[in-house]
């Protein structure tokens, strides 16, 4: 019952922020964080058993005759993703408390955030594809509310509609693919489907199911040619961008590909569809990011590129590729969430995200500069930070795949260095200007504490990667 409780807690807790906002903004943030913290603690209580190789199951019969069962299971892959969702969620709740203006309805924001959080936790813990599909569509609906949170901004409303349309249509395709998959396996339980890989790949319905499921995954994770919706979603408040577009929503498609890897991977169709899409997305996203002047737009397209990075590694169909994919999911969540938060701090303090209006912030905002420097260099793949390790592993796998694959991956890697250094150098280096829209300075501890903690993790994982070895190995074993 504990897994169902972990998934249900954010939904139940979503009732509280609207009530607690009457007691003040701090009380509202505290009760929201308490709900997420409780779910995180319950998850961590299951972690020792999972890391010993056990798989935790919770089965609740609803309409078993129709195959409708609220079944949940927790293995190392689910533990990794649920930990990212809840752990970074805690940091976003803290950050948002100090980022949102007094005029912003904070209770409404935290309600939307908990609804989205519950939907994401439900996806990664589901052991029934019908249940997973329900949570999948709930992420589209709740992300629509978050992206369009600033209703007075036309671009916010447009970005929310676009995200809902693209991911919603992809979800409809995925529903058809999942139903076909369940029909081939003779069960809607994911744990059963994962053991029927040979029968699934041998079926004449394999290719239609694969294409339909990948449409759902590619739209959710902003893969080419569906990458266009993600930059438009940057009209959302920065806490939304940092949460949805670094550690959660856009990772849902990657999670689905990793979760169904034992059932779907290992064929030429998987390799060509997934690896090619990932590599094209990685290079194209990096190229566009290089020429963006808006900080969040630059980070949005860099996110598209890194999602392509992980998709490419999963598409290789090898254990080594899965290792790189899982490891980079962790690394990307740490440095990209930190970078989005620093972009929000800069916008909050300087009243601009335009690189052309910035520069020289190193002396005016030394704390923010240090956080952005660490996270930015990790995104560039500079040693000894964590981004360097997964980037080098990716290049090695690309080299083993073939010369053309290696060349394209190298171009993407070089471009990532360029746009990362552009972010750091153009914003923080150079002389102090006298024409900022607003004279910037470092914010209070409450706003920089969350990205600072993520920057510390960036350094620690890079310096001591063996500390992550068991979690990565166990997660890859699940894949």
């Amino acid at each position: 019952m504990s897994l169902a409780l972990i998934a249900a807690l954010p939904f139940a807790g979503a009732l509280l922020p609207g009530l607690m906002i009457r007691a003040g903004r701090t009380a509202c943030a505290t009760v929201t964080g308490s709900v997420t913290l409780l779910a995180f603690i319950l998850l961590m209580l299951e972690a020792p058993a999972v890391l010993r190789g056990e798989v935790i199951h919770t089965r609740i019969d609803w309409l078993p005759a129709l195959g409708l069962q609220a079944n949940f299971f927790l293995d190392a892959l689910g533990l990794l993703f649920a930990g990212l969702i809840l752990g970074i969620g805690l940091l976003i709740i803290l950050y948002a408390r100090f980022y949102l203006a007094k005029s912003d309805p904070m209770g409404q924001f935290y309600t939307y955030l908990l609804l989205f959080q519950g939907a994401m936790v439900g996806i990664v813990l589901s052991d029934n594809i019908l249940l997973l599909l329900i949570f999948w569509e709930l992420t589209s609906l709740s992300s629509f509310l978050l992206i369009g949170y600033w209703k007075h901004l036309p671009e916010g409303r447009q970005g929310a509609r676009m995200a809902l349309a693209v991911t919603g249509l992809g979800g409809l395709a995925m529903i058809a693919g999942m139903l076909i998959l369940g029909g081939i396996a003779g069960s809607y339980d994911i744990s059963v489907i994962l053991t029927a890989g040979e029968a699934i790949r041998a079926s004449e319905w394999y290719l239609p199911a694969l294409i339909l499921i990948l449409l759902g995954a590619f739209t959710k994770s902003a893969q080419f040619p569906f990458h266009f919706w993600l930059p438009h979603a940057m009209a959302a408040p920065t806490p939304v961008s940092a949460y949805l577009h670094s550690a959660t929503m856009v990772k849902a498609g990657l999670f689905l590909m990793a979760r169904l890897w034992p059932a779907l991977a290992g064929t030429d169709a998987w390799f060509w569809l997934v690896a090619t899409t990932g590599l094209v997305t990685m290079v194209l996203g990096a190229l566009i990011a290089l020429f963006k002047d808006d900080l969040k737009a630059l980070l949005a397209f860099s996110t598209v590129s890194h999602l392509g990075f992980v998709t490419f590694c999963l598409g290789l169909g090898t254990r080594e590729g899965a290792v790189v994919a899982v490891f980079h999911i962790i690394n990307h969540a740490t440095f990209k969430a930190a970078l989005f938060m620093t972009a929000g701090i800069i916008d909050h303090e300087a009243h601009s995200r335009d690189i052309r209006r910035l520069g020289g912030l190193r002396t005016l905002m030394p704390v923010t500069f240090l956080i952005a420097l660490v996270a930015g260099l990790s995104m560039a793949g500079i040693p000894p930070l964590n981004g360097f390790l997964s980037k080098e592993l990716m290049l090695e796998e690309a080299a083993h795949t073939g010369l053309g694959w290696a060349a394209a991956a190298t171009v993407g890697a070089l471009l990532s260095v360029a746009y990362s250094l552009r972010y750091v150098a153009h914003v923080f280096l150079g002389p102090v200007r006298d024409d900022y829209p607003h004279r910037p300075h470092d914010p209070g501890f409450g706003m920089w504490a969350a990205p600072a903690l993520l920057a510390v993790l960036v350094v620690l994982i890079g310096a001591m990667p063996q500390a992550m070895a068991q979690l990565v190995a166990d997660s890859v074993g699940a894949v």
Side-chain angles (χ1 to χ4, degrees):
M1 193 67 184
S2 60
L3 298 185
L5 181 59
I6 293 170
L9 267 174
F11 290 110
L15 300 171
L16 299 177
L19 300 174
M20 292 302 297
I21 191 62
R22 298 183 179 184
R25 292 160 60 87
T26 300
C28 182
T30 301
V31 73
T32 306
S34 299
V35 170
T36 302
L37 179 61
L38 179 58
F40 185 76
I41 291 172
L42 292 175
L43 180 72
M44 290 299 104
L45 291 176
E46 304 288 354
V50 172
L51 294 177
R52 289 196 302 268
E54 299 179 25
V55 178
I56 312 298
H57 288 272
T58 295
R59 299 188 179 276
I60 303 173
D61 289 337
W62 180 29
L63 295 173
L66 298 179
L68 297 178
Q69 297 167 309
N71 293 346
F72 299 89
F73 81 124
L74 180 67
D75 60 2
L77 184 67
L79 176 66
L80 168 63
F81 275 87
L84 286 175
I85 294 163
L86 295 172
I88 293 185
L90 275 171
L91 299 180
I92 295 298
I93 291 166
L94 170 63
Y95 178 81
R97 160 62 185 86
F98 298 94
Y99 178 87
L100 295 176
K102 291 183 178 180
S103 58
D104 292 325
M106 182 176 284
Q108 189 180 96
F109 177 85
Y110 281 138
T111 292
Y112 296 163
L113 191 74
L114 286 175
L115 290 174
F116 175 80
Q117 185 181 99
M120 280 300 307
V121 172
I123 286 175
V124 301
L125 297 185
S126 291
D127 188 22
N128 182 281
I129 57 176
L130 301 179
L131 184 65
L132 184 147
L133 290 169
I134 293 172
F135 285 125
W136 188 274
E137 294 305 327
L138 283 175
T139 61
S140 295
L141 292 172
S142 53
S143 65
F144 169 79
L145 296 173
L146 283 168
I147 294 169
Y149 173 72
W150 280 336
K151 304 176 184 65
H152 61 283
L153 297 179
E155 57 269 26
R157 299 195 299 270
Q158 179 189 4
R161 289 194 297 267
M162 185 179 293
L164 179 63
V166 174
T167 61
L169 289 173
L172 291 176
M174 195 183 84
I175 290 172
M178 287 292 208
L179 293 175
I180 294 172
L181 192 65
I184 298 172
S187 172
Y188 290 134
D189 284 355
I190 295 174
S191 53
V192 175
I193 291 172
L194 297 183
T195 64
E198 291 186 10
I200 291 170
R201 290 187 289 270
S203 171
E204 61 182 348
W205 288 98
Y206 165 74
L207 188 58
L210 176 65
I211 292 173
L212 290 168
I213 291 170
L214 288 179
L215 280 173
F218 288 169
T219 52
K220 190 73 87 175
S221 289
Q223 297 298 287
F224 177 84
F226 309 108
H227 62 287
F228 58 87
W229 72 262
L230 183 59
H232 287 278
M234 292 299 114
T238 297
V240 175
S241 303
Y243 195 39
L244 271 63
H245 307 133
S246 66
T248 53
M249 180 180 174
V250 292
K251 294 285 199 308
L254 304 181
F255 169 80
L256 186 69
M257 287 186 280
R259 172 57 79 209
L260 297 179
W261 199 91
L264 299 178
T267 65
D268 289 341
W270 172 274
F271 173 79
W272 288 107
L273 285 172
V274 180
T276 304
T277 299
L279 196 58
V280 170
T281 304
M282 180 173 72
V283 176
L284 181 63
L287 182 62
I288 298 174
L290 182 60
F291 296 99
K292 289 297 177 182
D293 293 319
D294 183 275
L295 293 181
K296 286 180 68 175
L298 186 156
L299 293 176
F301 280 105
S302 74
T303 298
V304 169
S305 179
H306 282 269
L307 295 171
F309 173 133
V310 177
T311 300
F312 166 65
C313 292
L314 289 171
L316 297 178
T318 63
R319 178 180 175 83
E320 291 77 13
V323 169
V324 184
V326 170
F327 190 31
H328 195 65
I329 285 169
I330 300 171
N331 295 340
H332 179 258
T334 54
F335 66 67
K336 186 56 64 67
L339 283 170
F340 268 119
M341 290 189 217
T342 59
I345 289 172
I346 292 164
D347 189 23
H348 190 273
E349 299 299 325
H351 295 184
S352 177
R353 299 196 309 259
D354 191 333
I355 284 178
R356 295 166 297 184
R357 304 289 307 275
L358 302 170
L361 299 186
R362 173 175 53 88
T363 55
L364 299 176
M365 306 176 72
V367 175
T368 306
F369 166 63
L370 181 60
I371 297 169
L373 179 66
V374 171
L377 293 181
S378 179
M379 182 166 69
I382 304 300
L385 304 171
N386 61 355
F388 164 75
L389 299 173
S390 47
K391 187 175 181 180
E392 290 300 305
L393 290 169
M394 180 276 292
L395 291 172
E396 181 179 1
E397 291 310 304
H400 293 162
T401 306
L403 182 60
W405 300 91
T410 302
V411 170
L414 289 170
L415 289 171
S416 73
V417 177
Y419 65 66
S420 300
L421 295 182
R422 185 166 182 257
Y423 181 96
V424 174
H426 284 228
V427 174
F428 293 99
L429 303 185
V432 175
R433 302 172 59 153
D434 56 7
D435 61 344
Y436 300 113
H438 184 269
R439 186 72 172 179
H441 57 80
D442 275 322
F445 174 77
M447 193 178 290
W448 61 256
L453 178 59
L454 290 170
V456 170
L457 290 176
V458 165
V459 175
L460 290 179
I461 295 172
M464 299 182 293
Q466 64 273 16
M468 303 299 297
Q470 183 180 358
L471 179 58
V472 172
D474 290 346
S475 299
V476 170
V479 175

